[in-house]
Amino acid sequence: MTEHAEEFETHRPVLLGLAYRLLGSLWDAEDVVQDAYLRWSRVEREEIRDPRAFLITVTSRLAIDQLRSARMTREAYVGPWLPEPVATDALGPLDTAELRDTVAYATVHLMERLSPPERAVFVLREAFQLPYDEIASIVETSAANCRQMYSRAGRHLAAGRERFPLSGGEHARLLTRSSKPPGAATSAR
């Protein structure tokens, strides 16, 4: 493996996580990351100041393009468009609760309400903590517009969240709880 390819591989989990958060499909995310690799392999290394920033920009733009084309396809589809659930360990480091929440099935599903640029701004700000100036160059708009899109995306997502969110422990307890009605006797035969 060349040094160029090895460097790309160090960023692959982050890029895969970014693409999944934007697209809601691991299959599509892998395709976008592969396309990003092809672009990476054709660029002169000396032209790139910050490989991570370059790859995040390329991956984001490819995902936004795919979202825009997917939106046209989805408009002809009748029924809910659900994201594909995925084991999050494949999506790079998830060091904080906020970062883990951005790949949660419910969050990815709620992001379907957002336009592709709003979705990109929200993910790049929330999950990757990129500054608005950097996000603006990725989505090709102004930093002020990015702030507005982030705020609007947050309002759209908050409107669809549960009124009483469960903690991780409470959620696990409810999922593993027996399906017996309360007060049902257990026989020890």
Side-chain angles (χ1 to χ4, degrees), residues 89-166:
D89 57 342
L91 301 177
L94 303 170
D95 299 333
T96 65
E98 294 82 17
L99 205 52
R100 284 188 296 275
D101 188 47
T102 64
V103 296
Y105 181 83
T107 302
V108 174
H109 178 58
L110 285 172
M111 284 199 289
E112 284 296 318
R113 299 175 178 186
L114 307 178
S115 71
E118 284 175 336
R119 197 168 180 169
V121 168
F122 183 80
V123 169
L124 291 168
R125 183 70 180 169
E126 192 72 20
F128 293 89
Q129 291 90 35
L130 293 182
Y132 287 111
D133 291 340
E134 196 172 330
I135 296 169
S137 71
I138 292 170
V139 297
E140 299 174 320
T141 190
S142 69
N145 196 21
C146 285
R147 283 185 187 86
Q148 182 62 36
M149 283 193 276
Y150 178 77
S151 175
R152 190 173 31 242
R155 285 193 306 271
H156 286 305
L157 293 176
R161 293 193 189 257
E162 301 297 325
R163 278 187 51 200
F164 304 104
L166 297 174

Side-chain angles (χ1 to χ4, degrees), residues 5-188:
E6 285 177 12
E7 186 163 15
F8 181 86
E9 290 304 318
T10 64
H11 298 290
R12 183 180 289 275
V14 169
L15 302 175
L16 190 58
L18 170 62
Y20 173 74
R21 286 173 179 96
L22 291 173
L23 299 169
S25 164
L26 190 56
W27 184 286
D28 292 340
E30 288 171 344
D31 286 348
V32 163
V33 171
Q34 186 59 33
D35 286 346
Y37 174 75
L38 293 174
R39 291 179 187 216
W40 172 255
S41 66
R42 290 189 300 248
V43 76
E44 290 296 323
R45 178 67 180 96
E46 297 78 34
E47 295 176 15
I48 300 172
R49 286 191 325 250
D50 182 358
R52 182 178 187 269
F54 173 83
L55 290 168
I56 285 175
T57 299
V58 168
T59 302
S60 297
R61 288 181 181 168
L62 289 169
I64 289 169
D65 289 346
Q66 185 152 342
L67 279 171
R68 285 182 174 138
S69 73
R71 180 167 241 137
M72 302 303 279
T73 304
R74 290 177 185 175
E75 286 174 1
Y77 175 77
V78 177
W81 194 272
L82 301 174
E84 136 190 343
V86 65
T88 57
D89 57 342
L91 301 177
L94 303 170
D95 299 333
T96 65
E98 294 82 17
L99 205 52
R100 284 188 296 275
D101 188 47
T102 64
V103 296
Y105 181 83
T107 302
V108 174
H109 178 58
L110 285 172
M111 284 199 289
E112 284 296 318
R113 299 175 178 186
L114 307 178
S115 71
E118 284 175 336
R119 197 168 180 169
V121 168
F122 183 80
V123 169
L124 291 168
R125 183 70 180 169
E126 192 72 20
F128 293 89
Q129 291 90 35
L130 293 182
Y132 287 111
D133 291 340
E134 196 172 330
I135 296 169
S137 71
I138 292 170
V139 297
E140 299 174 320
T141 190
S142 69
N145 196 21
C146 285
R147 283 185 187 86
Q148 182 62 36
M149 283 193 276
Y150 178 77
S151 175
R152 190 173 31 242
R155 285 193 306 271
H156 286 305
L157 293 176
R161 293 193 189 257
E162 301 297 325
R163 278 187 51 200
F164 304 104
L166 297 174
S167 69
E170 182 70 9
H171 186 251
R173 186 185 69 72
L174 288 172
L175 287 175
T176 59
R177 186 172 77 180
S178 168
S179 60
K180 294 178 187 167
T186 338
S187 79

